[in-house]
């Protein structure tokens, strides 16, 4: 038997958590979330190409928090199977030999569960190399699940064991600490997002949000594209410092977004009779990385004919009139596109400015504390909170010195 934190469907708990004011969520959500710490049988490999993994660290992602807080879109409910063990940002040790990798090797896992992992002939998207767009995430040899961490059969990183297809594993360089390697999956997603669109040389890019997704998007933009000025809308001082260290040209408080972007990019600020104002002019590209009300902001600060990149998982409605009137391009970016993105992510994970990003590490037994910490991360100065599933309850929760700022 293994220890695992399981998600069970509970519409009542989901709705109750979703109605909480934002300021109460860090304290109350862990008690309302439909999560249960339990002892269960370890998942069995569903086929000969699958191997067992022992998680070393597993991050808490914004999508995990949205699930716990009752703010994730019901659109995704058809693409998961319950009970599932969350956790898709995983660095783990192999328990079985596979190909050129020996048991004990540290790996990071690409969580996308595509046709190949499901034992199916490739759908059109998978055949085209876009396994992150797979149309068969509810079919095949494993139960429904858009990713590991949302599938009842694979297990997830918030447990002592899980299984993964060998083609989804990438060895971690010996020189890279696990606290950096656990950033590989969100880094791969950030890399995919900036490769998803055309970023012309010198383009002015605004990044809305400076949590994990926003900060890693800044790094990917600066290191992998010819972007010009990168302006980050960041609410908290520690976020502003980190954004600057990662390559942001300037940071602005979200409450001053319109005036700040007008000053930087030119144009004019107009105000309708009802609702917030917007720019005539603005940034060439806006990356929305909050998954909350940031989309509405993004649509109001991008120039006519510009691009809005959705990197955060949308959870709130927005007025789409600007998309029509300003002839905007809106591009979504959901997950990494395979080995090339992970190779680049493992390379970027060694960047000096990522030091201390993982600043709260908890045993599974302290999962409520971990969720509270993650829900308050921006305000406290933290970035990434993670579980160490093999750690005993009496070991320190924050080996890297605690929160920044």
């Amino acid at each position: 038997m293994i220890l695992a934190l399981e998600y069970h469907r509970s519409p009542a708990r989901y709705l109750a958590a979703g109605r909480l004011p934002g300021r109460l969520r860090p304290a109350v959500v862990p008690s309302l979330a439909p999560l249960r710490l339990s002892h269960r049988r370890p998942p069995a490999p569903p086929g000969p190409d699958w191997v067992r993994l022992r998680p070393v660290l597993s991050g808490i992602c914004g999508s995990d928090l949205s699930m716990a807080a009752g703010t994730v879109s019901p659109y995704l409910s058809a693409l998961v199977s319950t009970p599932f063990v969350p956790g898709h940002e995983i660095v783990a040790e192999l328990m079985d030999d596979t190909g050129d990798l020996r048991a004990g090797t540290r790996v990071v896992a690409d969580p996308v569960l595509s046709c190949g992992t499901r034992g199916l002939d490739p759908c059109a998207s998978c055949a085209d190399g876009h396994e992150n767009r797979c149309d068969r995430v509810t079919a095949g040899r494993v139960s429904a699940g858009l990713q590991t961490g949302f599938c009842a059969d694979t297990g997830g990183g918030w447990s002592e064991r899980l299984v993964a297809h060998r083609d989804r594993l990438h060895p971690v360089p010996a020189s890279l600490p696990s606290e950096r390697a656990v950033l590989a999956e969100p880094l791969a997603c950030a890399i995919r997002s900036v490769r998803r669109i055309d970023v012309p040389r010198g383009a002015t890019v605004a990044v809305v949000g400076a949590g994990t997704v926003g900060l890693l998007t800044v790094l990917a933009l600066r290191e992998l594209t010819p972007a010009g000025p990168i302006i980050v809308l960041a609410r908290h001082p520690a976020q502003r410092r980190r954004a600057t260290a990662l390559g942001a040209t300037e940071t602005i408080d979200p409450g001053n977004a319109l005036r700040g972007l007008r000053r930087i990019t030119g144009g004019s600020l107009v105000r309708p009779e009802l609702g917030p104002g917007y720019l005539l002019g603005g940034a060439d590209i806006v990356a929305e990385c909050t998954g909350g009300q940031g989309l509405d902001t993004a649509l109001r600060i991008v120039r006519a004919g510009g691009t809005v990149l959705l990197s955060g998982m949308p959870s709130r409605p927005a007025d789409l009139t600007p998309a029509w009137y300003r002839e905007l391009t809106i591009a979504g970016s959901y997950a990494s596109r395979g080995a090339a993105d992970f190779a680049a992510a493992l390379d970027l994970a060694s960047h000096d400015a990522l030091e201390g990003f993982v600043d709260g590490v908890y045993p599974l037994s302290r999962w409520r504390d971990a969720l509270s910490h993650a829900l308050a991360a921006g305000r406290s100065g933290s970035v990434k909170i993670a579980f160490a599933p093999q750690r005993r309850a009496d070991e320190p929760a924050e080996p890297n010195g605690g929160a920044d700022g």
Side-chain angles (χ1 to χ4, degrees):
M1 303 295 282
I2 62 167
L3 192 64
L5 188 57
E6 296 179 321
Y7 178 92
H8 293 257
R9 290 190 192 274
S10 176
R13 285 178 174 265
Y14 178 87
L15 292 172
R19 293 191 179 104
L20 289 171
R23 67 183 184 278
L24 295 180
R25 286 177 181 167
V28 181
V29 162
S31 298
L32 285 178
L35 292 165
R36 184 184 308 164
L37 189 63
S38 62
H39 286 88
R40 56 178 285 174
R41 294 185 181 278
D49 294 330
W50 288 70
V51 293
R52 299 171 300 159
L53 301 179
R54 180 186 295 110
V56 176
L57 288 177
S58 183
I60 300 176
C61 176
S63 59
D64 300 324
L65 294 176
S66 295
M67 169 196 68
T71 59
V72 69
S73 170
Y75 176 96
L76 298 174
S77 62
L79 308 180
V80 304
S81 49
T82 57
F84 62 78
V85 177
H88 58 276
E89 300 177 354
I90 303 163
V91 56
E93 292 179 348
L94 275 173
M95 297 181 66
D96 306 299
D97 294 341
T98 178
D100 295 332
L101 302 178
R102 304 273 74 85
T105 301
R106 281 186 311 149
V107 295
V108 292
D110 180 345
V112 173
L113 296 172
S114 58
C115 289
T117 61
R118 294 176 171 278
L120 301 170
D121 291 333
C123 64
S125 293
C126 288
D128 196 36
H130 288 281
E131 294 182 321
N132 53 339
R133 301 177 185 173
C134 180
D135 290 325
R136 296 177 179 161
V137 295
T138 61
R141 62 175 57 160
V142 295
S143 55
L146 66 167
Q147 292 188 357
T148 298
F150 299 96
C151 173
D153 290 343
T154 63
W158 297 5
S159 69
E160 294 176 323
R161 301 285 187 276
L162 73 150
V163 295
H165 195 278
R166 67 180 184 182
D167 288 347
R168 315 310 289 178
L169 302 177
H170 306 277
V172 176
S175 61
L176 191 67
S178 293
E179 287 79 9
R180 297 291 191 91
V182 77
L183 298 173
E185 194 278 336
L187 260 172
C189 292
I191 290 164
R192 163 60 179 166
S193 70
V194 303
R195 289 174 170 171
R196 173 79 172 85
I197 60 173
D198 177 38
V199 182
R201 182 166 299 279
T204 299
V205 183
V207 176
V208 182
T212 302
V213 175
L215 291 171
L216 297 182
T217 298
V218 171
L219 178 61
L221 282 166
R222 185 53 77 211
E223 296 292 325
L224 302 177
T225 78
I230 300 174
I231 299 97
V232 178
L233 275 58
R235 192 176 302 278
H236 305 289
Q239 294 176 331
R240 297 185 195 114
R241 292 195 298 272
R242 290 187 184 276
T244 300
L246 289 164
T249 309
E250 188 166 345
T251 62
I252 301 173
D253 185 276
N256 195 38
L258 293 172
R259 294 186 182 278
L261 265 296
R262 181 183 63 175
R263 171 177 55 81
I264 295 167
T265 65
S268 58
L269 170 58
V270 297
R271 296 192 181 279
E273 292 180 357
L274 296 174
Y278 54 89
L279 295 180
L280 296 176
D284 300 311
I285 298 167
V286 181
E288 198 298 292
C289 299
T290 69
Q293 63 188 21
L295 175 56
D296 196 67
T297 299
L299 293 167
R300 294 171 185 273
I301 62 174
V302 67
R303 67 164 173 81
T307 298
V308 174
L309 173 66
L310 301 183
S311 292
M313 182 176 66
S315 62
R316 297 191 185 175
D319 184 352
L320 293 178
T321 302
W324 161 74
Y325 174 64
R326 309 279 279 164
E327 295 194 342
L328 304 178
T329 297
I330 299 178
S333 181
Y334 147 66
S336 64
R337 195 188 167 185
D341 289 344
F342 267 84
L346 286 166
D347 183 53
L348 279 185
S350 62
H351 195 286
D352 289 343
L354 297 180
E355 180 65 31
F357 255 51
V358 179
D359 58 2
V361 179
Y362 292 82
L364 291 171
S365 60
R366 294 190 58 194
W367 65 271
R368 290 185 176 86
D369 293 334
L371 291 187
S372 291
H373 192 169
L375 286 161
R379 188 163 57 251
S380 70
S382 294
V383 181
K384 175 60 63 178
I385 312 304
F387 287 110
Q390 314 303 325
R391 180 168 294 164
R392 300 191 310 273
D394 57 351
E395 291 188 58
E398 298 181 49
N400 297 313
D404 173 15

